[in-house]
Amino acid sequence: MDYCAGSLVRVHNRDWVVQPSTEKELLLLKPLGGSEDELTGIYLPFAFPDDQIESTQFPLPTENDIGDLATARLLFNSARLAIRNGAGPFRSLGKLSFRPRSYQMVPLIMALRQPSPIRLLIADDVGVGKTIEALLVLKELLERRQIERFAVIALPHLCDQWQAELQQKFGIDAVVIRSNTQARLDRQIFGDTSVFQYYPFQVISIDYIKSDQRRQVFINECPELIIVDEAHSCANLVGSGSSAQQQRYALIRDIAAKPKQNVILLTATPHSGKQEQFQSLLGLLDSKFANLDVPSADRQSRERLARHFIQRRRSDVAKWLEETLFPERESGEVSYQLSVDYSELYDQVFDFSMALVRGIHEADSKARMRYWSALALLRGVMSSPAAGADMLANRLLKAQNDDDQAQPIDNPILDEDFDQEKDFPSSGVINKTDWNRSEVEKLQALWKKLQELQTLQKDHKAATAVRLLKEWLEKGFHPIVFCRYIATANYLGQILKPELADRDELDVQVVTSEDDDQVRKQRIDEMLNHRQRLLIATDCLSEGINLQDGFTAVLHYDLPWNPNRLEQREGRIDRFGQKAPRVLAYLLYGQDNPIDGVVLKVLLEKVRQIRKDIGITIPFPEDSKSLMDSVLQAVILKGRVRLGEKQIGFDFFDQAYEQAQELKISNEFNKAAEREKLSRSIFAQHSIREKEIEQDLKQADQAIGDPRAVESLVTQGVRMVFGVQIDACQQGYELYTANLPDGLKQHLPDERRLRVSFYSPTPEGFVYLGRNHPFVEQLCRMIFARAMQAVDEQNKVARAAVIRCRDVEEKTTLLLFRVRNVIEDKQSGRQIVAEEVLPFGYTGNAAQFRLVEIAQAEKLLFSAKAAENLTPDSVRHFFRTELNSLEQIAQQLGEVAFSRAEMLVEAHERFRR
C-alpha cells in the first residue's frame, strides 16, 4: 500500500507521520511529536516481519484525560513549539532559535522572487544584521530542498564567528576549513574525497582557498550556494598591486561565472569611493552589470539591478519597527594639548620631515618614498611616543640591502586599505627608504627623545585618554580604545593597567594581530565574565567582529584617515543586538596637532554632518588620494608656525589655501552624497510592504509559537509538572535546577541557580532559551508524552478540561486542531510536509456550529478562569456530549483545514510575485 507524505501510520506501537521521500521504495517516518533527529526509514523490499505498517488516526481523548485547564494550555504550547516543519510561506521559521524581525525577511523575499540561480548583494548599514539576513535565505533554501550544500567564504578571523552564528541561531553544524583545521578534517574522511566535497556545510577562509593549489579544486566542487562575507575585500582593485585582493576577486569571479551557482554577497561598504571596484562587485551578480553606472543608468537597467541589490540605512529600518532595536549613539570629540617636551620633539620631527621633502618630484620614485616616509614618521610620532620609537628602532636595527628596495604601494600611509585586517606596522615605508649617514644620526637622536616621552606627565594624549576612560567606567560603560599601531596599543595598555589597578572587577586587555584568531577570541570571551571591561585594540577588530555583547563605548585614540574606518569601528558596538540604550563614540584629537586638525575638520566632521543631515554614511570620495595629498601638503609644503613659539589651533596655514582645499573636499563629498541618494532610489525593497510580512510572521507565531509561548511553557511547565522553582527577576527568571529530571538538567549548565531569558538580544549573564534550545525541545516532548500516555493523576497533563467561567455567555467548545499540509513544487515535484497546531471552536451545540475564529479561541484558552466548581458527574457529562458531537462537525473540520491550505497557497504565491 502506498502512503503519501503527511499520512499518519502506526509502526512498532508508535504513531508516525510519513515524510516525503525521493525513493519510491523508501518509506521515511518521523514520530508524531518527535524531533527531526528521530527521522527513520524502512526500505520496503527488505522490511522485517514486525515492520507492519498500518494507517491510524490521532487518538481522541477519554474521560481519563480530563484535568486542569492550566495543564491543557501546556499541551497546546508544547504541541506547537515541537513543530519544526511549520506551515506558512517561510519554511524555516520553525527551526530558528530566534524570532526574526520583519525587515530581516526582505532579502529572503527578494531571493524567493528570483528565478534560479539566486544572486543577491546585501549592503545594509553596519550593525543592521546582514549575517542574520543571509542565513535566513540559506536556511529557507535548505528547508525547501532547493540546495543541499553551502559554503560561507569569510576573512580568516571571522570564520569562528560565522560557525557560532550558524549553530546557535540556526541549528546548523558547519565545519571551519582553513590552514589550521584541514589536517584534522582530512583524517575524518575515508577515501580520496576532498574536504570541499565531503562536508555539506562549510565556513571557509578566503585566504586559504584563494591560493593556486586549492582554488580550482574548490571551484569545481563548490556547493550550490556560497555566501561571501565582507565582499568589498573581493572587489577588483583596478591597477593595484595588491595581489592578495586580486586573487580573492579572481576566485569569486570564477565561482560566480558558473551558470547554476547561487551567490549572496555581504558588505556594509559596497562603494569604497572607486567606481571600478563597485562595478566589479555588481559584475559578480550579473556580467551585464560590470559596466553599469548606477546613477546615470536607464530605468530598465536600474530596475534589473534592483532585483539583486538591497541597501538600507538605520533610518530605513527604523520605519519598519514598533520598537527601537538600535542604541542611541552619542558622538563627540575630546581634545588635548601637547606638553612642552612633546611640542619640542614635534618641531624637530617636522624640521626633519621638511628637509626630506624639500624639492621632491612626483615622478621620482625615491623622492616619493621619502615624502611618504616623512608623513608616516609624523603620523607615528603623533600616535604615541612608543609608535614613533618603534618606527625608528626597527629602521636603525635593520641592515640595508637590495631586497628592501621594493616599490611602495600607491599610498602606504592612507587608510585606503580599510577593508583589510591590518594593524599598520610602524616601520614599513621607513624601512624601504634610503637614508644617508647624517639622517640616520638624526633618527637616532629622535629615538632617544621618544623613549623619554613615554610617561603620563609628558604624554598628554595618553593622560587625557586615562582621565576620559576613568569617567566612562564610573558611569558603567565598557570601552574599546582603537589605535592604528600595535606599538601604540601595547603602550597604552602598559600605562592604563597600573592606573586602573584599584578596580578589582575591571579586566583590561590588549588585542592586536600579534595574537592569532583563537587567542583574540578567547581573550574577548573571558572579558565577558568580568563586571567591568576595557579593551584596547588595533583595527584587526574593526571589521566584521561582533562586540555588542560586551562593550558600549568607542574611543578613537588615533583618528582614521578614511571615514569608512570610523563607521566600521563604531559599528562593532552600535549594531543590532546591543542591549544598552546608549553607546558612546568619541574622537581624541590634538588641538595643536596640525595633522589631527586637517583630518578632523576637513574629513571626519564633514562625514558626520552628512550622516546627521541625511542619514547616509558615504564612502570615501573616489579621488581620495589627490584629496589627501592636497591637505597633507598644506601641513608639510606650506610651512608651519613652531609650536614652541606660538600657540595655534587649526589656523596653522594660509587661510585662503585652507578654504580652497576644504571647498575641494566638500565638493567631492557632496558629489558622493548625491550619488548615494540617487543609487538608493532604485532598490526593490521599497516595493515590499512590511505590513504583509509582519502579518505572516504573526500567523507563524500563532501556529508554531513565539518567544512568549516558550516563556509560558517553561515557567508554567517546570512548576506544575515537575514542581521546580522558577522566580521572575530583573530582565528574566532565576531557575533552580535541583529538582529538574536528568533528561532536562543535562541540557543546561551545571549550576544550582541559573538565570534564563526567553528573548533575544539576551541580557548579559543569562542563558537564552529559544524554541530550538535542547532544554525546550525535551520539555515539549516530555509534556506531550505525559498528555498522551496514562500516568498517575498527580503528574497528569490534561488533554481535556471543562470549566464554568464568566468569559463566555454561551457554551463554547474549543478544539486543538493539528493540521498537516503537503506542499509540492510544480517544477521539481519536491514535496514538503507542513504542520501547525491551531485552536478554534464553536458556540452552542454542534448542529449550529457558529465558528470561533483562531485568534479569539487562543485568547479565550489563555484567559478563561473558572468562576465556580462543577461536580465530577457534570464535567463528565459535558465532556461526553462534545466528544460525541465531533462526528457531526467532520465536514466543518475539513473546511477549516481546507481554508488553512488556501491561505498557505496564497501566502506562497504572494511572496513569489
Side-chain angles (χ1 to χ4, degrees), residues 273-446:
K274 296 186 177 180
Q275 183 67 12
E276 295 88 350
Q277 292 183 28
F278 177 57
Q279 289 174 331
S280 73
L281 279 183
L282 299 184
L284 298 176
L285 302 173
D286 187 326
S287 59
K288 297 176 182 177
F289 300 148
N291 298 311
L292 183 66
D293 183 12
V294 176
S296 60
D298 61 81
R299 179 170 181 171
Q300 185 178 4
S301 298
R302 288 155 61 92
E303 289 179 349
R304 190 168 66 248
L305 173 61
R307 302 187 191 110
H308 305 274
F309 189 6
I310 177 170
Q311 185 175 33
R312 293 169 297 179
R313 305 304 183 188
R314 293 284 184 85
S315 56
D316 300 324
V317 171
K319 295 175 184 177
W320 285 58
L321 303 172
E322 298 176 358
E323 56 182 323
T324 301
L325 294 181
F326 303 103
E328 175 190 354
R329 186 192 302 188
E330 178 185 313
S331 301
E333 297 87 31
V334 177
S335 65
Y336 66 92
Q337 290 186 343
L338 295 174
S339 66
V340 174
D341 292 337
Y342 219 128
S343 176
E344 291 176 355
L345 173 76
Y346 183 87
D347 286 337
Q348 294 172 19
V349 173
F350 181 81
D351 288 343
F352 178 79
S353 301
M354 284 288 292
L356 285 179
V357 301
R358 189 172 290 116
I360 65 171
H361 300 283
E362 267 302 302
D364 185 342
S365 61
K366 289 186 177 181
R368 192 166 63 250
M369 182 69 82
R370 293 168 72 82
Y371 172 65
W372 293 125
S373 293
L375 289 177
L377 181 59
L378 280 169
R379 192 172 186 187
V381 166
M382 298 314 290
S383 171
S384 70
D390 188 55
M391 282 183 174
L392 300 182
N394 285 328
R395 176 61 192 89
L396 294 171
L397 294 173
K398 183 177 178 63
Q400 189 79 5
N401 58 63
D402 294 337
D403 293 338
D404 292 333
Q405 302 307 311
Q407 290 297 314
I409 60 174
D410 187 41
N411 190 330
I413 66 158
L414 296 186
D415 290 346
E416 290 186 324
D417 49 353
F418 73 96
D419 55 323
Q420 307 294 328
E421 178 197 7
K422 204 152 189 178
D423 291 303
F424 300 98
S426 311
S427 57
V429 66
I430 292 179
N431 283 349
K432 297 180 183 299
T433 302
D434 289 326
W435 305 99
N436 59 40
R437 179 173 297 179
S438 173
E439 290 168 340
V440 170
E441 290 176 354
K442 292 179 181 178
L443 292 176
Q444 180 77 40
L446 292 174

Side-chain angles (χ1 to χ4, degrees), residues 59-241:
L60 295 176
T62 69
E63 292 182 13
N64 293 329
D65 293 315
I66 300 174
D68 185 0
L69 180 62
T71 62
R73 294 167 184 150
L74 288 179
L75 174 60
F76 171 48
N77 274 333
S78 67
R80 62 175 174 167
L81 288 170
I83 289 176
R84 295 294 173 263
N85 297 315
F90 307 116
R91 295 286 305 137
S92 57
L93 293 182
K95 296 185 179 179
L96 305 181
S97 292
F98 66 101
R99 201 277 199 181
R101 267 68 178 189
S102 55
Y103 81 88
Q104 294 174 324
M105 304 296 290
V106 174
L108 170 57
I109 294 170
M110 292 177 64
L112 294 178
R113 288 178 171 178
Q114 293 184 24
S116 182
I118 291 169
R119 298 293 173 93
L120 205 58
L121 172 56
I122 304 176
D124 289 345
D125 250 351
V126 173
V128 166
K130 293 180 292 297
T131 299
I132 294 294
E133 292 168 351
L135 292 184
L136 283 170
V137 178
L138 180 155
K139 186 68 170 176
E140 187 71 19
L141 296 182
L142 284 173
E143 293 304 314
R144 289 170 178 254
R145 300 186 182 180
Q146 292 180 228
I147 64 169
E148 295 181 352
R149 303 164 60 235
F150 69 82
V152 176
I153 301 175
L155 297 174
H157 65 289
L158 300 178
C159 289
D160 292 331
Q161 184 171 285
W162 272 97
Q163 184 187 42
E165 287 287 295
L166 280 161
Q167 203 288 319
Q168 293 169 8
K169 291 188 173 66
F170 293 84
I172 297 174
D173 292 319
V175 297
V176 172
I177 303 176
R178 58 187 176 203
S179 56
N180 64 346
T181 65
Q182 186 184 3
R184 174 176 55 81
L185 295 173
D186 280 338
R187 288 194 295 269
Q188 300 172 8
I189 301 174
F190 298 99
D192 297 329
T193 307
S194 75
V195 290
F196 308 126
Q197 213 169 21
Y198 183 81
Y199 297 99
F201 309 144
Q202 311 163 12
V203 179
I204 308 177
S205 161
I206 189 169
D207 290 335
Y208 176 75
I209 56 168
K210 77 176 191 297
S211 62
D212 293 336
Q213 65 267 35
R214 303 184 187 95
R215 177 175 170 275
Q216 197 57 49
V217 175
F218 179 73
I219 292 173
N220 294 339
E221 300 176 355
C222 184
E224 307 101 303
L225 170 68
I226 64 165
I227 296 174
V228 183
D229 190 25
E230 306 296 350
H232 54 268
S233 68
C234 305
N236 187 16
L237 298 180
V238 181
S240 169

Side-chain angles (χ1 to χ4, degrees), residues 738-756:
N739 293 331
L740 282 173
D742 291 339
L744 289 174
K745 194 183 299 185
Q746 66 179 345
H747 299 299
L748 295 175
D750 187 17
E751 298 178 21
R752 291 185 61 83
R753 290 196 305 176
L754 195 67
R755 291 192 297 175
V756 298

Side-chain angles (χ1 to χ4, degrees), residues 482-498:
F482 276 111
C483 308
R484 177 179 171 89
Y485 301 107
I486 295 175
T488 298
N490 289 331
Y491 160 74
L492 196 56
Q494 292 169 3
I495 284 180
L496 274 169
K497 287 180 180 179

